[in-house]
Amino acid sequence: MHALVRRLKSLAALAIGFGLALAGPVRAAGDPPSCRTVRLSDIGWTDVTSTTATLSALLSDLGYQPKVTVLSVPVTYAAMKNKDIDVFLGNWMPSMRQDLAPYLADGSVEVVRANLVGAKYTLAVPDYLYAQGLHDFADIARFAGPLGSSIYGIEPGNDGNRQILSLIGSNTDGLGHFKLIESSEQGMLAEVERAVAARKPIVFLGWEPHPMNTRFRMKYLTGGDSTFGPNYGGATIYTNVRAHYLEQCPNVGRLLRNLSFSPADEDALMGLILAKRQDPSSAARTWLKAHPDAQDRWLQGVTTFDGRPAGVALQPGSPTRLGDFQGWVSAHKIPVGDWVADLIDLLKQRAAPLFGAISFVVEGAVNGLTTVLVAIPAPVVILAAAALAYWLRRSIALTVFVALALLFIVNQGYWPPTMETLSLVLVAAFASSVIGIPIGIAAAHRPWLNDAIRPVLDLMQTLPTFVYLIPTLVLFGLGVVPGLISTVIFALPAPVRLTQLGIASIPKALIEAGEAFGATPLQLLLKVELPAAAPSILAGVTQCIMLSLSMVVIAALVGAGGLGVPVVRALNTVQVGMGFEAGFVIVLLAIILDRITRAGERRSAE
């Protein structure tokens, strides 16, 4: 009897073992399924982009699904508090102390470890300006004239920008009359490159590690200890996670506790992105392939998502390393981006005088009009705008609305940026109309031309407007010029299409009557076609103005100034009040311009 029981137990054990063998390896205790998607924040700085891409590559190889979102620093921390972001690798301290402090205080964000030691972050100048005597923050004001009273920062709302704005606001070291030019990291570096090539004075935000330190011969300024910290803004970069993430996802937590970089590591990663023009993911994989020792160190004690030891599972030839069809195709991509970049570089080298002349004319027109509008007392501008509204519309209600709306803008403190935006819109609308109306006339008279330009106009209207900013920024530098040119490109199709439509829709009998009276083509155009098509043409001009106004926020990203700056700054710092104020001012300006231009349209129609 006992022998039979033993045999039955042996058969049961054999069956269980066979079943486990068929089922595959048992998943080791590790992260739960909710941890498979790892949400990372990238604040758009090349160093943070490169380290985030490296972590993403490791997580992908481990079987996780990393999701990277580009956010500003304040939005990153707000998202971590809301549990929308899990990991942030770019906590620069002490400059981000103000951003992080409230989240540390309420326990919604945790610090994992320092992932980079020995960084720096403060104002810098080219070596030739340093040689002229600009060594310290206190020296900047003496060079106000050559500097154009400008300091170049990065994206609006950034912690470094806030430090500069605090210096300006408190008139520290006599900087009260300076202005901060905000754009982006690459926008600032493009402007530094232009200044260095022309040996022009410039003060800008600099940091290390970053290839800018070898790309430009630059010096960091002393005197910023009270704002950026001692030792030239000496910084340590920390890894942050949302509250309780390390306990909820211990395997990812082990990887984050292991992850650290040296300045040389980050310089090499950023060099692959900026100099070799690799996308961040490809740069990370190139670097990891060349540094297996770093990967081995980071993966100590870490497993794949399915529980296998990471060091074994990620060896070359393992299933997680096998490329699929999509990866193979991506590895052999057509270098369209490189071709365009080479073309832009060629244009920048060969046609620099032409672009310089265009910049001079455009910048002079916009800045000149802005200077005039700002110089005129606000009450005079308000009265003139109200009188114009009444003359065009003969409406007391509209006249009162215009006056009250402009008074509200003054009350909210947005009068100077409103005048900057108005100048940009008026010049852009004028340029678009001057270019677009003749093209529309030619397209109406020549059907083959209309067919040829239609796909071009479609492309201009559907291509993301941010794409326009990239080449214009490289060719023209920061300021109103790239903003205005991008605005003209975006708004140009409206007057072209509506002018062509208006003239093409004129009744043939009207054209034949003009020809019967012996009108020449020019007389026919001036006396018959343009008057008959005037409502459609004016509608195109009105649309052009509205489209130009819709670009003010995007133009602010390349230093164009105006009402777009407080909107972007509010977005990046999660300031609801500021965003609503600036947005409401833009709406009021749009209504005023729309009603006034529509009044002219109705008057012509009558």
Side-chain angles (χ1 to χ4, degrees):
M1 183 67 178
H2 293 292
L4 178 61
V5 171
R6 285 196 300 270
R7 287 195 183 105
L8 289 174
K9 287 182 178 179
S10 299
L11 288 172
L14 183 62
I16 292 172
F18 183 69
L20 290 175
L22 290 177
V26 178
R27 187 178 184 276
D31 292 345
S34 60
C35 293
R36 183 156 203 166
T37 298
V38 183
R39 299 164 299 179
L40 305 120
S41 173
D42 175 8
I43 56 175
W45 303 359
T46 307
D47 61 309
V48 180
T49 297
S50 61
T51 56
T52 303
T54 303
L55 176 59
S56 296
L58 289 171
L59 289 170
S60 295
D61 289 343
L62 292 172
Y64 290 86
Q65 297 173 350
K67 179 182 179 183
V68 180
T69 305
V70 179
L71 302 169
S72 67
V73 174
V75 175
T76 292
Y77 286 123
M80 294 178 81
K81 181 174 183 177
N82 292 336
K83 299 183 178 180
D84 295 323
I85 290 294
D86 301 316
V87 182
F88 174 45
L89 298 180
N91 172 213
W92 281 68
M93 295 294 280
S95 65
M96 290 184 187
R97 183 184 294 114
Q98 180 181 345
D99 296 291
L100 180 60
Y103 300 96
L104 284 180
D106 65 17
S108 58
V109 173
E110 299 174 359
V111 178
V112 179
R113 63 160 296 168
N115 63 58
L116 178 70
V117 178
K120 62 175 65 172
Y121 185 41
T122 189
L123 294 181
V125 297
D127 63 342
Y128 54 82
L129 185 57
Y130 190 87
Q132 295 174 23
L134 207 168
H135 301 161
D136 191 274
F137 279 45
D139 299 327
I140 298 175
R142 292 194 295 108
F143 290 79
L147 291 170
S149 298
S150 300
I151 298 174
Y152 289 83
I154 46 180
E155 73 275 0
N158 167 266
D159 56 294
N161 287 15
R162 288 203 308 273
Q163 304 284 13
I164 298 171
L165 288 172
S166 69
L167 293 174
I168 294 173
S170 61
N171 194 29
T172 303
D173 295 322
L175 298 177
H177 63 289
F178 271 67
K179 61 182 177 181
L180 172 65
I181 307 297
E182 301 177 288
S183 57
S184 65
E185 174 195 330
Q186 295 308 313
M188 180 197 74
L189 292 177
E191 190 64 23
V192 173
E193 181 180 23
R194 291 169 59 84
V196 169
R199 297 188 68 81
K200 292 173 55 179
I202 186 171
V203 176
F204 58 96
L205 269 175
W207 61 91
E208 191 176 14
H210 194 282
M212 73 171 82
N213 294 276
T214 55
R215 180 180 174 188
F216 308 119
R217 299 177 64 181
M218 52 186 281
K219 298 285 188 179
Y220 291 93
L221 300 182
T222 57
D225 292 8
S226 61
T227 50
F228 290 93
N231 301 318
Y232 300 101
T236 301
I237 306 174
Y238 292 87
T239 298
N240 298 159
V241 295
R242 63 173 173 83
H244 310 302
Y245 183 73
L246 297 178
E247 294 82 9
Q248 294 168 2
C249 305
N251 189 51
V252 177
R254 282 191 292 272
L255 175 59
L256 295 177
R257 288 190 176 99
N258 293 344
L259 191 69
S260 66
F261 300 87
S262 69
D265 294 338
E266 294 204 10
D267 278 337
L269 277 164
M270 288 184 280
L272 292 171
I273 296 173
L274 298 176
K276 301 296 185 180
R277 297 176 180 172
Q278 294 188 16
D279 64 87
S281 178
S282 299
R285 294 212 173 272
T286 300
W287 189 89
L288 285 171
K289 184 177 180 181
H291 297 80
D293 54 330
Q295 178 173 281
D296 293 340
R297 184 175 69 252
W298 294 337
L299 295 179
Q300 289 294 321
V302 178
T303 68
T304 62
F305 184 74
D306 59 11
R308 292 175 295 157
V312 176
L314 299 188
Q315 290 299 318
S318 68
T320 55
R321 289 292 193 187
L322 291 178
D324 55 5
F325 174 75
Q326 180 179 342
W328 182 86
V329 173
S330 299
H332 298 82
K333 76 174 192 176
I334 301 172
V336 176
D338 290 340
W339 294 341
V340 174
D342 292 338
L343 175 62
I344 295 299
D345 288 341
L346 181 63
L347 289 174
K348 184 172 65 173
Q349 296 170 5
R350 300 292 178 86
L354 174 62
F355 296 123
I358 295 174
S359 296
F360 178 79
V361 173
V362 172
E363 189 171 6
V366 177
N367 291 343
L369 182 57
T370 301
T371 302
V372 171
L373 291 175
V374 173
I376 300 174
V380 175
V381 176
I382 294 172
L383 289 174
L388 178 63
Y390 181 77
W391 179 73
L392 290 172
R393 190 68 179 270
R394 295 294 191 270
S395 170
I396 297 296
L398 177 61
T399 303
V400 172
F401 171 80
V402 169
L404 291 178
L406 293 176
L407 282 172
F408 177 80
I409 292 173
V410 175
N411 172 262
Q412 295 297 299
Y414 288 99
W415 186 256
T418 299
M419 293 301 100
E420 292 179 7
T421 294
L422 182 61
S423 299
L424 180 65
V425 169
L426 292 179
V427 175
F430 175 78
S432 298
S433 300
V434 168
I435 298 171
I437 291 176
I439 294 176
I441 293 171
H445 290 150
R446 298 168 180 81
W448 64 266
L449 178 60
N450 184 52
D451 293 338
I453 66 173
R454 185 183 297 119
V456 177
L457 297 177
D458 292 339
L459 179 66
M460 293 167 66
Q461 288 188 306
T462 57
L463 196 67
T465 49
F466 286 97
V467 175
Y468 301 140
L469 299 179
I470 302 171
T472 55
L473 174 63
V474 173
L475 295 174
F476 298 101
L478 287 176
V480 297
V481 180
L484 185 135
I485 292 176
S486 300
T487 301
V488 169
I489 295 172
F490 179 67
L492 184 60
V496 174
R497 291 186 187 279
L498 287 172
T499 299
Q500 187 275 333
L501 178 64
I503 293 180
S505 301
I506 296 174
K508 290 185 179 180
L510 190 59
I511 301 294
E512 291 171 353
E515 292 174 343
F517 280 99
T520 65
L522 180 60
Q523 291 173 328
L524 196 64
L525 173 65
L526 298 177
K527 301 293 185 180
V528 178
E529 294 178 333
L530 290 181
S536 181
I537 295 173
L538 289 173
V541 174
T542 300
Q543 282 195 19
C544 182
I545 293 174
M546 294 298 104
L547 291 171
S548 299
L549 189 58
S550 71
M551 284 286 289
V552 296
V553 175
I554 296 175
L557 299 177
V558 290
L563 292 170
V565 173
V567 173
V568 177
R569 191 176 294 160
L571 174 64
N572 287 343
T573 55
V574 202
Q575 296 187 45
V576 178
M578 179 192 295
F580 182 83
E581 289 173 358
F584 193 54
V585 168
I586 293 175
V587 169
L588 289 176
L589 183 60
I591 293 173
I592 292 171
L593 293 174
D594 179 69
R595 295 300 183 269
I596 289 179
T597 53
R598 285 182 184 275
E601 176 185 341
R602 293 182 183 181
R603 189 182 182 91
S604 299
E606 293 172 359

